[in-house]
Amino acid sequence: MKKTLIAATLLSLFSSQYATASDETTELRQIIEQQQKVLKDLEKRLEQTEKRVETTADVVESTASSKSATTIGGYGELHYNNITDNKTGTDKKEFDFHRFVLFVGHEFNSTTRFFSELEVEHSLAGEGKKGEVELEQAYIEHDFNEMFTGKAGLFLMPVGIINETHEPNTFYGVERNPVEKDIIPATWWEAGLTLNVKAAPGLAFDTAVTSGLYLDQSSGYKIRNGRQKVSEAKGEDLAYTGRVKYTAVPGLELAATVQYQSDLTQGEAGVDTASATLLTAHAIYSIENFTVKALFAQWDIDGQEAEALGRDKQNGFYIEPAYRINDQFGVFARYNEWDNNAGNSAETKKKQTNLGVNYWLHENVVFKADFEKITGAADSDGFNLGVGYQF
């Protein structure tokens, strides 16, 4: 009897435990099934999210490529000159809206872009007017990679300090300095191809093959007269230009340019062939609010006609210290020497001193005033006032 009771008790206990285990197993299975459903739902949502992200990226890329990435800008400057020629006793008192310039650029994508610059000089252009309408830049620029960038079209030459950067708020003095104007000669643009090479951080090289200058005895072999401005320019003889620029030291810029053209006369019959070499070098050093700039430029021209005029050698230099008092005021001094007749035995050198102040109403709006004195082959003095802007 006792044995039967014990067996029944054990059987009952086992059955109870088995039933409990069976319930727990069923519950566990239900939990697993629910989790599987949740995971499948999450996977489905993730797939939908990835599709939406891909679709959004495609739309953004398509929109970016189809939307206009065109930019417009410009600059301008009004001058008042009050200069007395002490040799002739004549006065120049003149107002002139010297330049009105519009920039138009377009970015086709992250590596290819277009840039142009259209300028009106001296307000009015046309027959009998003193001004001109000029296309100073119109080129395609392409980044081949992080190291190489090329340009094709009409562009500013890689030479000097102000030739590529000459907006009025970026330099001191009402008028551009005479060395870069008459010797280099800024503003100077040509048509052709150029390649910029970023060789290392702070070290870059520029090479260019372009249209060249056109000079002969009738133009006096004065370099500024030789700019053809890519207006049905004679292309018998090309110009080859190279520049190296070093900016690895903070506040310091060093650059040098050489250009060679085998015949300034562009192969014109009956005139003397005149090869020409330009050498320029400049340095800019800034420390806190003080900046000093120095530039040297020289042309060597072969040929008897240029030598007879004393223009086989043309050179000049300037030095310009400046101090930025605060965000609005800056003062400067500049000493220039230049000679377009340096090959002449007579004293033909000109010396110009400028002292002045810039007042920036805004970083892109500037008022200028300077005193000017020229000695040497010329004798004049006076003052200049100006206002300029960039946007």
Side-chain angles (χ1 to χ4, degrees), residues 51-103:
K51 288 180 179 179
R52 283 196 294 267
V53 169
E54 290 176 0
T55 302
T56 302
D58 291 340
V59 170
V60 169
E61 185 176 353
S62 175
T63 303
S65 61
S66 62
K67 267 190 176 181
S68 173
T70 302
T71 56
I72 297 176
Y75 72 90
E77 49 190 337
L78 170 68
H79 298 167
Y80 172 69
N81 307 111
N82 190 323
I83 306 294
T84 299
D85 187 325
N86 296 317
K87 287 189 174 182
T88 63
T90 58
D91 292 329
K92 174 186 176 182
K93 297 180 179 179
E94 179 179 274
F95 286 92
D96 183 27
F97 203 100
H98 203 141
R99 299 174 180 91
F100 176 81
V101 182
L102 287 178
F103 303 141

Side-chain angles (χ1 to χ4, degrees), residues 15 31 167 268 297 376:
S15 299
I31 292 173
E167 291 74 21
E268 188 170 318

Side-chain angles (χ1 to χ4, degrees), residues 8-285:
T9 302
L10 289 172
L11 181 61
S12 175
L13 179 61
F14 179 78
S15 299
S16 175
Q17 290 178 343
Y18 178 80
T20 302
S22 178
D23 292 342
E24 289 178 351
T25 300
T26 301
E27 185 178 355
L28 182 60
R29 284 177 179 173
Q30 291 175 348
I31 292 173
I32 291 172
E33 288 176 357
Q34 290 176 354
Q35 289 177 341
Q36 288 176 340
K37 288 181 180 180
V38 171
L39 286 173
K40 288 181 179 179
D41 185 56
L42 287 174
E43 287 178 359
K44 186 180 293 185
R45 291 182 181 180
L46 182 60
E47 289 177 0
Q48 293 174 347
T49 301
E50 288 177 346
K51 288 180 179 179
R52 283 196 294 267
V53 169
E54 290 176 0
T55 302
T56 302
D58 291 340
V59 170
V60 169
E61 185 176 353
S62 175
T63 303
S65 61
S66 62
K67 267 190 176 181
S68 173
T70 302
T71 56
I72 297 176
Y75 72 90
E77 49 190 337
L78 170 68
H79 298 167
Y80 172 69
N81 307 111
N82 190 323
I83 306 294
T84 299
D85 187 325
N86 296 317
K87 287 189 174 182
T88 63
T90 58
D91 292 329
K92 174 186 176 182
K93 297 180 179 179
E94 179 179 274
F95 286 92
D96 183 27
F97 203 100
H98 203 141
R99 299 174 180 91
F100 176 81
V101 182
L102 287 178
F103 303 141
V104 178
H106 182 82
E107 188 171 359
F108 298 102
N109 54 38
S110 61
T111 59
T112 305
R113 60 200 69 91
F114 167 78
F115 187 79
S116 66
E117 179 178 336
L118 186 67
E119 176 173 340
V120 178
E121 286 200 342
H122 312 297
S123 295
L124 295 174
E127 187 176 354
K129 306 299 181 182
K130 296 180 179 179
E132 294 180 317
V133 177
E134 301 174 331
L135 184 65
E136 287 197 0
Q137 299 190 74
Y139 63 83
I140 296 294
E141 183 177 68
H142 178 73
D143 300 325
F144 296 101
N145 51 42
E146 292 184 355
M147 186 175 182
F148 296 100
T149 297
K151 293 179 185 177
L154 186 155
F155 48 82
L156 296 168
M157 299 299 291
V159 58
I161 297 175
I162 69 169
N163 198 58
E164 293 178 293
T165 305
H166 45 250
E167 291 74 21
N169 57 305
T170 63
F171 65 91
Y172 283 96
V174 175
E175 302 291 347
R176 298 171 183 175
N177 72 83
V179 177
E180 295 196 72
K181 178 182 175 183
D182 287 340
I183 301 298
I184 281 184
T187 306
W188 180 17
W189 63 89
E190 298 288 355
L193 300 171
T194 182
L195 180 68
N196 173 260
V197 182
K198 299 177 182 66
L203 180 63
F205 297 90
D206 293 281
T207 61
V209 180
T210 65
S211 54
L213 300 173
Y214 172 49
L215 284 166
D216 57 17
Q217 194 167 14
S218 63
S219 60
Y221 283 93
K222 187 175 181 181
I223 290 299
R224 190 168 183 83
N225 296 341
R227 298 178 304 163
Q228 300 191 78
K229 300 186 177 182
V230 197
S231 176
E232 297 185 350
K234 293 181 180 295
E236 296 293 330
D237 197 70
L238 301 179
Y240 303 90
T241 307
R243 177 178 68 180
V244 57
K245 181 182 284 188
Y246 177 79
T247 56
V249 177
L252 178 66
E253 176 180 304
L254 300 174
T257 298
V258 59
Q259 184 188 94
Y260 176 76
Q261 185 175 333
S262 61
D263 187 8
L264 290 177
T265 70
Q266 294 290 342
E268 188 170 318
V271 297
D272 189 25
T273 298
S275 64
T277 302
L278 167 68
L279 295 173
T280 77
H282 75 256
I284 303 173
Y285 182 64

Side-chain angles (χ1 to χ4, degrees), residues 313-382:
K313 303 286 185 184
Q314 302 184 45
N315 53 48
F317 75 90
Y318 75 85
I319 183 168
E320 179 190 289
Y323 184 75
R324 190 70 179 258
I325 299 170
N326 52 38
D327 289 341
Q328 291 186 300
F329 284 96
V331 294
F332 82 102
R334 184 169 61 234
Y335 178 75
N336 316 262
E337 280 192 15
W338 77 105
D339 193 346
N340 288 104
N341 295 79
N344 198 314
S345 58
E347 179 59 42
T348 55
K349 184 181 298 181
K350 298 178 183 178
K351 304 173 184 179
Q352 178 175 314
T353 302
N354 293 81
L355 301 170
V357 58
N358 279 16
Y359 168 69
W360 284 271
L361 184 65
H362 177 274
E363 63 179 347
N364 291 321
V365 179
V366 64
F367 290 85
K368 303 180 179 185
D370 66 75
F371 168 79
E372 175 184 307
K373 174 68 175 177
I374 299 179
T375 58
D379 183 6
S380 64
D381 57 61

